[in-house]
């Protein structure tokens, strides 16, 4: 199975956010060769994961180098990724520096579509949650200006609505 086929199957199985899910499926249908890749300037599917430590009531956010915003870990799919879940876990591990992350069971937590600076017009982000091990120690990657743990209640003070919705949806899934 290809990464494209995995993306279609994941999105077909996703029950919430019906209109956005259909937009993703339509995008992949219109762009069967490049809809997952950065080269698709009409937009492309990305994978992200909110790193969460439920035992301490906190999430790990990255201060994105280009956007200068506090966000969950995530990014572009790569040819070696076998699934969107694998891409999200790889990105979360690379960007957080935390070994031993595991994805929250049940598949994606939410979908989010957001505009980005050109040449591409938008990211179609499939958002997962990654559970941090009890002894998690983060390490800043070259894609980040900073990494910081935030209590659930602090996220709305530093991040945009998409991150706040992701935290809420993740907490509801726990």
């Amino acid at each position: 199975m290809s990464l494209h086929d995995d993306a279609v199957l994941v999105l077909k199985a996703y029950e919430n956010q019906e209109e956005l899910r259909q937009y993703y499926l339509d995008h992949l249908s219109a762009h069967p060769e490049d809809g997952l890749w950065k080269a698709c300037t009409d937009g492309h599917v990305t994978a992200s994961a909110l790193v969460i430590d439920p035992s301490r009531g906190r999430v790990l956010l990255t201060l994105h180098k280009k956007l200068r915003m506090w966000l969950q870990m995530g990014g572009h799919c790569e040819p070696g990724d076998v699934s969107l879940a694998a891409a999200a876990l790889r990105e979360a591990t690379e960007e957080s520096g935390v070994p031993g992350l595991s994805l929250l069971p049940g598949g994606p937590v939410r979908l989010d579509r957001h505009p980005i600076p050109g040449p591409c017009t938008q990211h179609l982000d499939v958002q997962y949650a990654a559970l941090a091990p009890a002894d998690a120690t983060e390490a800043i990657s070259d894609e980040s200006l900073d990494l910081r743990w935030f209590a659930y209640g602090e996220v709305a003070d530093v991040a945009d609505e998409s991150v706040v919705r992701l935290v809420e949806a993740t907490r509801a899934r726990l």
Side-chain angles (χ1 to χ4, degrees):
M1 177 184 302
S2 72
L3 183 58
H4 180 275
D5 293 337
D6 172 73
V8 170
L9 288 174
V10 164
L11 294 169
K12 282 185 178 178
Y14 200 70
E15 295 178 11
N16 296 321
Q17 300 178 273
E18 184 63 32
E19 186 176 312
L20 193 53
R21 183 183 68 82
Q22 188 59 52
Y23 183 90
Y24 281 41
L25 290 169
D26 291 346
H27 172 77
L28 289 173
S29 179
H31 299 278
E33 300 299 320
D34 65 351
L36 289 161
W37 310 115
K38 191 175 183 178
C40 185
T41 57
D42 285 342
H44 47 270
V45 174
T46 56
S48 67
L50 177 71
V51 175
I52 186 166
D53 179 355
S55 66
R56 294 185 180 156
R58 62 186 189 160
V59 297
L60 183 63
L61 299 179
T62 180
L63 185 57
H64 194 276
K65 197 176 226 176
K66 287 184 182 178
L67 300 176
R68 299 190 182 273
M69 296 171 60
W70 288 103
L71 301 169
Q72 74 275 13
M73 315 305 152
H76 297 102
C77 297
E78 295 181 1
D81 294 327
V82 296
S83 67
L84 291 174
L89 187 58
R90 175 187 51 74
E91 286 286 343
T93 301
E94 287 175 1
E95 292 183 12
S96 72
V98 176
L101 294 173
S102 62
L103 292 182
L104 187 64
V109 175
R110 20 182 359 268
L111 303 174
D112 186 73
R113 178 175 69 169
H114 49 271
I116 59 168
C120 179
T121 58
Q122 63 185 338
H123 279 170
L124 308 174
D125 196 30
V126 179
Q127 300 176 329
Y128 294 80
L131 300 170
D135 59 349
T137 303
E138 68 278 3
I140 296 174
S141 75
D142 61 353
E143 296 181 38
S144 177
L145 294 173
D146 196 4
L147 280 175
R148 194 174 307 160
W149 290 99
F150 293 95
Y152 298 148
E154 297 174 330
V155 174
D157 296 332
V158 298
D160 71 9
E161 272 300 307
S162 69
V163 179
V164 172
R165 286 190 300 268
L166 178 57
V167 171
E168 291 169 353
T170 299
R171 291 183 66 198
R173 174 85 65 89
L174 291 172

